[in-house]
Amino acid sequence: MNFKVGDRVHVTKLDGGKVDFYATLSDFNSRNDITDLVNCTNRSLEGVGVYLPNDEDFGPDKEDYYTLATDEEDSEPVEVQYIESENKVELDNHYIVEVKKGLYIQDVSSNYYYFQFTKNIKNARIYEHKESINRHAELVDGRIVSIKRHIEV
């Protein structure tokens, strides 16, 4: 596997322990065997060093392991559902944060150190104002998705 600075990776093993988060590879050291992780979906691991594939400690059964991220970004169009009713009222736009395809923020602690995620979009945290969502999306390296809601009267 050949990686380069700026590659987005899916980290599944770190320091010998199983993990599951996404990060971007930063500067490679002079021996080209270690790189730092930045823009991590798990902010507590920001700046952590990991072995590159040419090091003996890299691999699924070793200290560190990651692959190129292929499933984090949304590559499919948004599915739109319509309500067929003459008595429908469209509510103002609302927003949710999608961390990766099919994974959404469900809850956030008041100090932003704890995020809870859900795969069920019905349980996703709904934000009424786009300005209030920016910090949360930034912290988890997620994207803001605009949703429209309707009610039938």
Side-chain angles (χ1 to χ4, degrees):
M1 285 185 263
N2 289 329
F3 292 97
K4 60 186 182 307
V5 171
D7 280 347
R8 192 73 176 157
V9 294
H10 181 196
V11 183
T12 53
K13 196 150 193 194
L14 183 65
D15 294 330
K18 289 184 179 183
V19 293
D20 186 14
F21 68 95
Y22 292 85
T24 302
L25 300 180
S26 186
D27 298 321
F28 292 7
N29 71 353
S30 60
R31 292 189 316 258
N32 214 25
D33 62 349
I34 295 177
T35 183
D36 292 329
L37 300 177
V38 296
N39 298 323
C40 300
T41 54
N42 181 339
R43 290 290 184 192
S44 67
L45 298 172
E46 190 76 23
V48 168
V50 293
Y51 292 106
L52 288 166
N54 58 335
D55 191 276
E56 63 184 31
D57 289 320
F58 177 87
D61 300 332
K62 307 286 181 161
E63 289 293 307
D64 297 329
Y65 188 68
Y66 46 87
T67 56
L68 279 176
T70 57
D71 60 348
E72 181 184 21
E73 302 300 323
D74 186 9
S75 58
E76 296 179 15
V78 176
E79 180 181 333
V80 179
Q81 297 179 348
Y82 295 97
I83 299 173
E84 296 299 326
S85 172
E86 292 180 21
N87 299 324
K88 71 177 181 179
V89 175
E90 185 176 307
L91 301 174
D92 290 337
N93 276 354
H94 289 83
Y95 307 92
I96 59 175
V97 175
E98 185 174 44
V99 179
K100 64 179 186 176
K101 185 171 174 68
L103 188 66
Y104 310 93
I105 289 180
Q106 181 176 353
D107 195 21
V108 182
S109 68
S110 60
N111 58 8
Y112 303 133
Y113 287 119
Y114 172 77
F115 285 85
Q116 185 175 2
F117 302 100
T118 181
K119 291 183 178 183
N120 185 346
I121 195 167
K122 292 179 183 178
N123 294 335
R125 180 177 181 157
I126 297 174
Y127 298 82
E128 292 184 22
H129 306 287
K130 195 168 187 177
E131 298 78 31
S132 63
I133 196 173
N134 286 335
R135 179 77 174 137
H136 293 177
E138 211 174 86
L139 287 171
V140 297
D141 199 24
R143 70 181 190 101
I144 299 170
V145 178
S146 176
I147 60 173
K148 287 194 182 259
R149 299 192 310 171
H150 298 85
I151 59 172
E152 195 169 335
V153 290

